[in-house]
């Protein structure tokens, strides 16, 4: 996928914002109980596919600080890439918002397989799923529906050629 300088800059800014939002509350961003506020940004992929690699990179960088390290970089990035790719190909924002929750079992499996503590796959996956539903669907979609009405948002986020 060819990306010009403007698109690359926009993607880098989004990746950086994702990392900054995750690092603001690191105690909520990792482990079997997560509430990663930065996940609201995944909805950007619904509006423009240039945000798929941007947010995937943001997740990978954020997960370098995870207690599981490179394992979390791999599994978290995989979860994000699959979710974001599906979101970018969905026509309805409410449906798109469900993909991060739907693929939460990837994170659940990672945590259960690599945690030093014995954990329940179902319990961890349901917790991650609930977190994604709250952040992306219940909070994110209404926020983005409001933002859609603003010309600055439309120009910067929806217009791939914005200067």
């Amino acid at each position: 996928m060819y990306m010009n300088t403007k698109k690359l800059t926009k993607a880098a800014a989004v990746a950086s914002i994702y990392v900054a939002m995750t690092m603001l509350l690191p105690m909520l961003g990792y482990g079997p109980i997560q509430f990663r506020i930065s996940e609201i940004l995944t909805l950007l992929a619904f509006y423009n596919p240039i945000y798929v690699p941007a947010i995937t990179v943001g997740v990978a960088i954020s997960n370098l600080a995870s207690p599981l390290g490179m394992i979390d970089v791999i599994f978290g990035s995989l979860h994000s890439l699959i979710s974001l790719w599906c979101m970018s190909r969905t026509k309805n924002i409410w449906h798109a918002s469900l993909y991060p929750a739907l693929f939460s079992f990837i994170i659940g499996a990672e945590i259960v397989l690599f945690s030093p503590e014995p954990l329940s796959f179902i319990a961890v996956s349901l917790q991650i799923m609930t977190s994604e539903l709250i952040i992306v669907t219940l909070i994110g979609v209404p926020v983005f529906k409001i933002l859609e009405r603003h010309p600055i948002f439309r120009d910067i986020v929806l217009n791939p050629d914005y200067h």
Side-chain angles (χ1 to χ4, degrees), residues 49-69:
I50 71 161
Y51 299 115
V52 172
I55 296 167
T56 303
V57 167
V59 169
I61 293 168
S62 295
N63 286 352
L64 287 170
S66 165
L68 294 176

Side-chain angles (χ1 to χ4, degrees), residues 137-152:
T137 306
L138 298 181
I139 296 171
V141 172
V143 166
F144 275 85
K145 294 303 261 177
I146 291 167
L147 289 173
E148 284 177 0
R149 298 182 204 147
H150 295 282
I152 293 171

Side-chain angles (χ1 to χ4, degrees), residues 147-159 162:
L147 289 173
E148 284 177 0
R149 298 182 204 147
H150 295 282
I152 293 171
F153 177 83
R154 287 194 307 267
D155 284 345
I156 294 173
V157 174
L158 303 183
N159 180 359
Y162 176 77

Side-chain angles (χ1 to χ4, degrees), residues 1-147:
M1 175 169 94
Y2 170 75
M3 215 183 260
N4 67 27
T5 304
K6 291 174 192 169
K7 290 177 184 176
L8 185 60
T9 302
K10 190 186 294 191
V14 168
S16 299
I17 292 166
Y18 186 97
V19 173
M21 288 176 71
T22 303
M23 295 301 158
L24 281 174
L25 296 168
M27 67 293 246
L28 296 177
Y30 309 103
I33 298 178
Q34 295 184 18
F35 199 80
R36 195 177 276 196
I37 304 301
S38 51
E39 282 293 293
I40 196 170
L41 294 176
T42 61
L43 286 168
L44 290 171
F46 169 76
Y47 296 100
N48 193 327
I50 71 161
Y51 299 115
V52 172
I55 296 167
T56 303
V57 167
V59 169
I61 293 168
S62 295
N63 286 352
L64 287 170
S66 165
L68 294 176
M70 284 308 293
I71 291 167
D72 206 13
V73 170
I74 293 165
F75 279 82
S77 299
L78 177 65
H79 167 264
S80 294
L81 183 61
I82 293 168
S83 299
L84 294 163
W85 184 83
C86 291
M87 293 170 89
S88 73
R89 284 156 176 72
T90 303
K91 301 291 184 209
N92 179 295
I93 192 170
W94 291 98
H95 296 156
S97 74
L98 300 175
Y99 286 112
L102 178 66
F103 294 112
S104 293
F105 70 89
I106 296 169
I107 305 300
E110 168 206 358
I111 292 170
V112 169
L113 289 172
F114 296 102
S115 175
E117 309 286 327
L119 298 169
S120 163
F121 169 73
I122 292 176
V124 172
S125 295
L126 285 175
Q127 190 287 320
I128 304 293
M129 181 181 289
T130 302
S131 170
E132 293 283 2
L133 282 171
I134 292 169
I135 293 165
V136 181
T137 306
L138 298 181
I139 296 171
V141 172
V143 166
F144 275 85
K145 294 303 261 177
I146 291 167
L147 289 173

